[in-house]
Structure formats: C-alpha cells, structure tokens
Amino acid sequence: MSNEVFPQFPGLGWGAKKTPVFTTNIQKSSIKTETRISYHDTPMYRWKLPLEFLRDDPNSQSPVGDEAEYKTLMNFFLARKGAFESFLYKDPTDNAVIDQQFGIGDGMTKSFQLSRVIMGDFSEPVHNVEAIQSITVNGFEVYAPDPPREVLAYGYSWNEVDDSYESIQNIYTSADESGDYLLTYGTSWNEITDAYEHMQVLEQKTASQGCSIGATGIVTFLSAPPSNAVLRWTGGFYYRVRFDGDELDFEAMMDRFWESQDVEIYGALQNKV
C-alpha cells in the first residue's frame, strides 16, 4: 500500500467515466422468487480516464516538468507494478466537503469516523484525509490546522502576601514547538513592593485543539461531545485505488506526443484495496 498520489494530467478528456460498483449475490428459486445478499455496505468505484495527450520531452531524464506527462504516467504505473500496489487518487469532481455532518454526540462516545454524503442520507466513511480546515461541535470550532501562535490575554494572579488576587498586565499565550502546550508569560503589579513581578505558567493546551485525527479518519475528542451535539468537518480527501489491470497501453499520436485512452483505476473512499 502506497500513499503516492496519482498525478493530475492536463490531457484528461471529457469522456472520463466514474462507475459505482456493488456486489450482490442473487439466488433464484424454482418458483421464480429471489434471495439477495449484498456483500458491500458502501460501493467500490471504477474510473476510466482517457488521457488524450501525453507530451514526451526527449531532454527530460526524470518524470517531472510541464512536458513530461508520458514519462510521469509510465513511471507511476511501473512503480506500482501494475495492479499490485494501491495508491491515492484525488477525484477532480469529488474531493472535499464543507460543514459535512459526521456524527451526533451522546455524552459518552469520544471517537467518530469522518464521512462524506453526496446527497440525502447515504453516508460513506472517509479513511484517507488530505487536509482538514475545521471540525466543529454545535458550530463551535474545536480543531483548526494552524491555531494562532500568540494571543494577547488578561487575568489575575494570587498574591500570598495580602491574600488576594491581583490584576495581571501584558500577558501573552503562545504554543510551543510541539503544539501540545501553552506557555503563558507576562508581568503582574505587586502593590507591596510597588513593582512588576514576572510570572510564567506552562500548561497543556486544550482550547485550540479539542480533538485529534487518526490515520484512517477517526476523530477522537478530548472529552465526549454532549448528547445531540452535531459534529461537522470541512476538508479534503482521497480515494484509495489501484490500477484495474497489469497492462497499460500507450499509443503514439505524433512525434513526442502519446495518448492512453484506457487508464482504468478501481477503489473506494475506504482502504478496501
């Protein structure tokens, strides 16, 4: 299993096809009735990608650059050993969600699987996340990819001399390098000594990142979302696919121009292949 991403090609034609595939066992009786067994709760997908032109720069010695699509595709297919090794595919027409609901809190469950709905209520789990812009619980953001590194804050410190709280001035809170802790530092005014005193507190960060994202799209919250809380996410995803066969045809159109009309890949939103 590889996490290499199938390259995007400018020569992809309008005749591209995407086919959802289910597997159903149908048994017919002698009285013409049927018994059906479905082997999949969610579909597999098959894509047929007609690549109408693939440029081949004779001066290019590596599959990179704007005019090396032929070598890029050839190298990618050879590296996967045909249908042997799976890879990731970013469908140009289906690769992101905005405020997609993926769960309802019950006050006890902390882990939820990210999912995608095209329309209606048919939901498919998403295993291969490209990036997450936000996760919200009842509209309150509990996850963001790049929380603020520095925030101006105010508060109080306890003065043991006069047994009272004192106002703190010029306090800043910033994330450490790991992103797991918050360093709070600043100065407080001490009326006894008539001077500012330095204060510094290191505490585990929970405000900015209220959850973590697992390798297969499982969101684990630090505390269980309350009952009936609506969980939503915004972000991008890949399909896990493989080539549909061990052969791939390339046809020369003219000097340094090729086409491959029968690029077929097969997979799903989950890690099924």
Side-chain angles (χ1 to χ4, degrees):
M1 184 170 69
S2 167
N3 285 328
E4 293 293 319
V5 179
F6 186 74
Q8 298 290 322
F9 295 100
L12 179 62
W14 284 106
K17 295 181 180 179
K18 179 180 181 180
T19 306
V21 180
F22 285 96
T23 302
T24 305
N25 185 339
I26 302 176
Q27 297 180 347
K28 296 183 179 181
S29 71
S30 59
I31 58 174
K32 307 300 182 181
T33 60
E34 291 183 347
T35 299
R36 294 178 299 278
I37 301 174
S38 177
Y39 290 133
H40 300 290
D41 291 330
T42 57
M44 305 295 289
Y45 290 91
R46 180 177 288 109
W47 291 263
K48 185 174 182 179
L49 308 175
L51 299 178
E52 297 178 347
F53 72 87
L54 298 166
R55 293 169 290 185
D56 180 20
D57 182 357
N59 298 319
S60 175
Q61 299 301 314
S62 62
V64 296
D66 294 336
E67 297 186 359
E69 296 97 357
Y70 166 73
K71 291 179 180 177
T72 297
L73 180 58
M74 178 69 81
N75 177 75
F76 192 87
F77 182 78
L78 296 177
R80 307 285 82 75
K81 298 179 176 63
F84 173 72
E85 185 177 62
S86 69
F87 52 93
L88 299 177
Y89 176 59
K90 186 175 182 178
D91 187 330
T93 64
D94 182 20
N95 57 58
V97 295
I98 299 176
D99 285 337
Q100 173 68 68
Q101 179 176 324
F102 68 95
I104 298 290
D106 59 8
M108 296 181 294
T109 303
K110 290 185 178 182
S111 297
F112 297 81
Q113 175 69 58
L114 290 178
S115 60
R116 188 283 311 269
V117 174
I118 294 180
M119 181 178 286
D121 57 2
F122 184 81
S123 176
E124 296 177 72
V126 172
H127 284 183
N128 297 284
V129 178
E130 178 188 20
I132 291 181
Q133 278 70 55
S134 70
I135 291 178
T136 63
V137 177
N138 275 346
F140 178 76
E141 189 174 78
V142 297
Y143 180 92
D146 188 17
R149 302 296 293 179
E150 188 169 82
V151 179
L152 179 64
Y154 298 91
Y156 296 89
S157 66
W158 183 258
N159 188 317
E160 296 181 354
V161 177
D162 59 6
D163 198 34
S164 66
Y165 282 103
E166 293 180 345
S167 175
I168 298 175
Q169 301 177 9
N170 301 324
I171 297 179
Y172 293 86
T173 300
S174 63
D176 72 338
E177 291 299 324
S178 70
D180 295 330
Y181 293 89
L182 293 174
L183 175 64
T184 302
Y185 58 95
T187 55
S188 65
W189 181 257
N190 188 320
E191 295 182 355
I192 304 298
T193 61
D194 196 31
Y196 284 104
E197 294 180 347
H198 178 72
M199 58 85 62
Q200 179 172 303
V201 178
L202 185 68
E203 59 184 348
Q204 189 164 1
K205 184 176 69 174
T206 58
S208 296
Q209 309 290 37
C211 61
S212 60
I213 316 299
T216 57
I218 295 178
V219 179
T220 301
F221 293 91
L222 294 178
S223 58
S227 295
N228 300 318
V230 179
L231 316 179
R232 298 182 182 275
W233 75 290
T234 297
F237 55 84
Y238 296 109
Y239 286 82
R240 167 70 59 185
V241 301
R242 60 168 173 80
F243 285 105
D244 205 27
D246 286 325
E247 299 179 358
L248 186 60
D249 291 331
F250 293 85
E251 183 176 348
M253 301 166 55
M254 60 183 72
D255 184 33
R256 292 189 293 172
F257 280 87
W258 297 76
E259 67 177 359
S260 185
Q261 294 284 351
D262 298 316
V263 179
E264 295 190 22
I265 56 179
Y266 179 77
L269 280 172
Q270 306 87 53
N271 293 331
K272 290 185 176 182
V273 298

